[in-house]
Amino acid sequence: MTIGLTPFSVSTILSRVRSEPPLVQCLTNAVVTNFTANVLLALGAAPAMTDIPGEAGPFARIASGVLVNLGTPHAEQRTAMLEAALAANDAGTPWVLDPVAVGSLPVRTALAAELLALRPTAVRANASEIMALAGLGAGGRGVDATDNPEDALPAADLLAAKYGCVVAVSGPTDVITDGESTLRISNGDVLLTKVTGGGCALGAVTAAFLSAAEDGEGLTAAAAATAVYTIAAQQAAAGAAGPGSFAPAFLDALAGLSDEQITTMLVSA
Amino acid sequence: MTIGLTPFSVSTILSRVRSEPPLVQCLTNAVVTNFTANVLLALGAAPAMTDIPGEAGPFARIASGVLVNLGTPHAEQRTAMLEAALAANDAGTPWVLDPVAVGSLPVRTALAAELLALRPTAVRANASEIMALAGLGAGGRGVDATDNPEDALPAADLLAAKYGCVVAVSGPTDVITDGESTLRISNGDVLLTKVTGGGCALGAVTAAFLSAAEDGEGLTAAAAATAVYTIAAQQAAAGAAGPGSFAPAFLDALAGLSDEQITTMLVSA
Amino acid sequence: MTIGLTPFSVSTILSRVRSEPPLVQCLTNAVVTNFTANVLLALGAAPAMTDIPGEAGPFARIASGVLVNLGTPHAEQRTAMLEAALAANDAGTPWVLDPVAVGSLPVRTALAAELLALRPTAVRANASEIMALAGLGAGGRGVDATDNPEDALPAADLLAAKYGCVVAVSGPTDVITDGESTLRISNGDVLLTKVTGGGCALGAVTAAFLSAAEDGEGLTAAAAATAVYTIAAQQAAAGAAGPGSFAPAFLDALAGLSDEQITTMLVSA
């Protein structure tokens, strides 16, 4: 049973991120590196895309949080991802797994299973990917979500319980669970799905917020990341003429997001 | 002999793309992945940049269309490109070859020849690249077009006849041929050449349009892709203060392009 | 002793770049390739991201200038970087080394030393990186500058004298030295640090300007690159609502920068 995420919780973690900028290491896909770094900078965090073997591990030890996104997992990056996850675990650095398009594609599906076994702090994905990751679905086609977050809740709970992680399922209403409690965020805008990396960059923001979480705050932090991200998107969409003008407006909105906007706009259950 | 592309043809294929979003697999260069994905999203298509060996082939079987762009062809991607082209042929998936900077650079020039022999559905390039690909020129310097599309028409016709493909030559007036008929589109704006990926993303749009073409519609579909793309560019340029503001305006224009704009603005012969 | 950079010097080299567009080869990191190419296009230069072994060397022979940026140096790119630097030296092509995050990360730190020994025409970096490169500091965390350019001047002078290169240290006041004379530029805006690649793209602009320099003009050209870049940033920031709207405005400002703006805005000592 939950009563939803409070604006106060969101503002508290956001202010920690802004006052003590976390260093967020992203091992992510080639399509969204630029947008992801700009999202982190707009948020007040410091991005670093250190993703080669021999450096990914040492960097994960000094990073505040790590994102492992499987969008375009070429061979060197796969090695670096495992290296980073192991080092993050060893150093106590929170890390987020984004299993892009897991299910039907063999290389990333095998890698996702290997990474999942290393027990990420959080998993962020769309409903189809979460169901595929839990073995309860076939996955979507590419990054498309063909399933509903609510339908993926059993799979998300299963993953959360089995691997001790928070699972965030993105969709029109985002569902975030730790296997015991569930939070729902109904902010955002469909334009966020019309900019590549709209989901991927949220994984990086989640890593930033987890790095600012205290013990036991994982669920709240992951949900707060989603809230900040989707509220900024909703605000940006209000003034956008299309997906092109939405993207820079979204970065501006993230950079300028105020506690008042969070209080006014947050829709959570 | 042709009488040009009709606005009706353009609108018809665009409406198919929008109503049944094609899944477009892009094996493309590191510089333009983000812009290319955003162009496809703005168009209403679903991009997927699956470009690693072991996944590129299986994905090409389920994709609606495939783009193979040789801009930064590192070793893994070269393997994946051949895998994707073979699988696309086997599955009947249309695919587009964009032989970036072919001619003087040895690795991509050899790869382009190998891919061309696999008979792409279409080739999209600038005039210098088309002439180099046909063995009739030395290629430009990098992605620069130092030749005129009209001058490349003999080379384009030769390629079209020999490999059974449509050839689209980009330039101030775009020339599209299947070796028998030729269509010319005189829309666009010079700002499109001031945004990196301005040509590359058109290759992805061409793959999307080819996936919506019926038998015998290849030439029309490739020309319609060019028309939609360059009309949107022309419209965006009208309100842009420079190349920076042009790029988001172009995505907005693509997303919002109407049949009326196509009818009013299309300049084809 | 110097009396600062003159607006006339800046305008002279900029006009050369615009009237005879240099072909700038960038071997740069995956995060900033797109932004870097767009910055070069806005400036009037022609970018080419040729960074694979077997092509990087031949291309460096025909390029006007080369950038080697160590942000995400995967194995193939490392080979290509050494190939490009050797070929650039052999052909007399000016090249710029940007030793991103050098110091603590082992792979790039070893590579930076190897490249430095090949005597780049210029080194561009932040203060922490310059100090680490000269063996006088531990480096920052990732791309963060935790030191001041003025504090890095001894390290910059040491590098300039030892390797015969110009060293440009980016910061609130940029410091550029050839080991004998020092130029300072106090233009720019903090928003430039909120867009990923804000520093990296300056390395590419520096390569473009060096290619337009005559004998003995290296220091002036590198400083002029910084001046044009930071004046455009300052102008763009004046009308930006945040980092998102700043980026396109910056590209517009670069494309439209006038001699009058340079004369009015340049702050140099």
Side-chain angles (χ1 to χ4, degrees), chain B residues 19 49 72 88-89 97 118 129 138-139 184 199 228 258:
Chain B
S19 63
M49 269 58 182
T72 54
N89 280 350
L97 173 64
L118 296 177
E129 291 158 350
R184 291 176 177 80
V228 162
S258 68

Side-chain angles (χ1 to χ4, degrees), chain B residues 25 27 56-62 66 68 77-96 111 114-121:
Chain B
Q25 179 184 9
L27 302 96
F59 203 88
R61 292 179 182 280
I62 61 160
V66 179
V68 177
Q77 209 189 39
R78 294 197 297 274
T79 302
M81 284 169 172
L82 291 165
E83 186 183 309
L86 286 165
N89 280 350
D90 195 50
T93 311
W95 64 285
V96 176
L111 179 62
E114 212 173 341
L115 286 163
L116 193 58
L118 296 177
R119 304 175 73 89
T121 314

Side-chain angles (χ1 to χ4, degrees), chain A residues 161-218:
Chain A
K162 184 164 176 189
Y163 299 101
C165 59
V166 172
V167 179
V169 194
S170 300
T173 289
D174 295 81
V175 174
I176 303 104
T177 179
D178 62 2
E180 297 187 355
S181 299
T182 305
L183 292 168
R184 291 175 179 80
I185 315 280
S186 300
N187 292 98
D189 189 278
V190 71
L191 277 177
L192 200 50
T193 68
K194 296 294 176 190
V195 174
T196 194
C200 298
L202 174 54
V205 172
T206 303
F209 273 62
L210 287 172
S211 77
E214 292 173 7
D215 276 355
E217 274 190 338

Side-chain angles (χ1 to χ4, degrees), chain C residues 68-225:
Chain C
V68 177
N69 171 301
L70 307 188
T72 54
H74 55 81
E76 270 187 276
Q77 209 189 37
R78 293 199 297 275
T79 301
M81 284 169 172
L82 291 165
E83 186 183 307
L86 286 165
N89 280 350
D90 194 50
T93 310
W95 63 285
V96 176
L97 173 64
D98 186 337
V100 181
V102 74
S104 52
L105 295 172
V107 177
R108 70 192 65 200
T109 301
L111 179 62
E114 211 172 341
L115 286 163
L116 193 57
L118 296 177
R119 304 174 73 90
T121 314
V123 175
R124 191 224 66 88
N126 65 40
S128 302
E129 291 158 350
I130 291 296
M131 291 166 77
L133 196 62
L136 302 177
R141 43 167 228 175
V143 298
D144 272 12
T146 50
D147 298 295
N148 190 289
E150 213 59 48
D151 297 339
L153 185 52
D157 279 337
L158 189 152
L159 289 172
K162 185 163 175 189
Y163 298 101
C165 59
V166 171
V167 178
V169 194
S170 300
T173 289
D174 295 81
V175 174
I176 302 103
T177 179
D178 62 3
E180 297 186 353
S181 300
T182 305
L183 293 167
R184 291 176 178 80
I185 316 279
S186 299
N187 291 99
D189 190 278
V190 71
L191 277 176
L192 199 51
T193 68
K194 295 296 177 190
V195 174
T196 194
C200 298
L202 174 53
V205 173
T206 303
F209 272 62
L210 287 172
S211 77
E214 293 173 7
D215 276 356
E217 275 190 337
L219 176 65
T220 303

Side-chain angles (χ1 to χ4, degrees), chain B residues 57-210:
Chain B
F59 203 88
R61 292 179 182 280
I62 61 160
S64 314
V66 179
L67 167 67
V68 177
N69 172 302
L70 306 189
T72 54
H74 55 82
E76 270 186 277
Q77 209 189 39
R78 294 197 297 274
T79 302
M81 284 169 172
L82 291 165
E83 186 183 309
L86 286 165
N89 280 350
D90 195 50
T93 311
W95 64 285
V96 176
L97 173 64
D98 186 338
V100 182
V102 74
S104 53
L105 295 171
V107 177
R108 74 191 62 201
T109 301
L111 179 62
E114 212 173 341
L115 286 163
L116 193 58
L118 296 177
R119 304 175 73 89
T121 314
V123 175
R124 191 222 67 87
N126 64 40
S128 303
E129 291 158 350
I130 291 298
M131 290 167 76
L133 196 62
L136 302 178
R141 41 167 229 174
V143 297
D144 272 11
T146 49
D147 298 295
N148 189 289
E150 213 60 46
D151 298 338
L153 185 52
D157 279 337
L158 188 154
L159 289 171
K162 184 164 176 189
Y163 298 101
C165 58
V166 171
V167 179
V169 194
S170 300
T173 288
D174 294 82
V175 174
I176 303 103
T177 179
D178 62 2
E180 297 187 355
S181 300
T182 305
L183 293 168
R184 291 176 177 80
I185 315 279
S186 300
N187 292 99
D189 190 279
V190 70
L191 277 176
L192 199 52
T193 68
K194 296 295 177 190
V195 174
T196 194
C200 297
L202 173 54
V205 172
T206 303
F209 273 62
L210 286 172

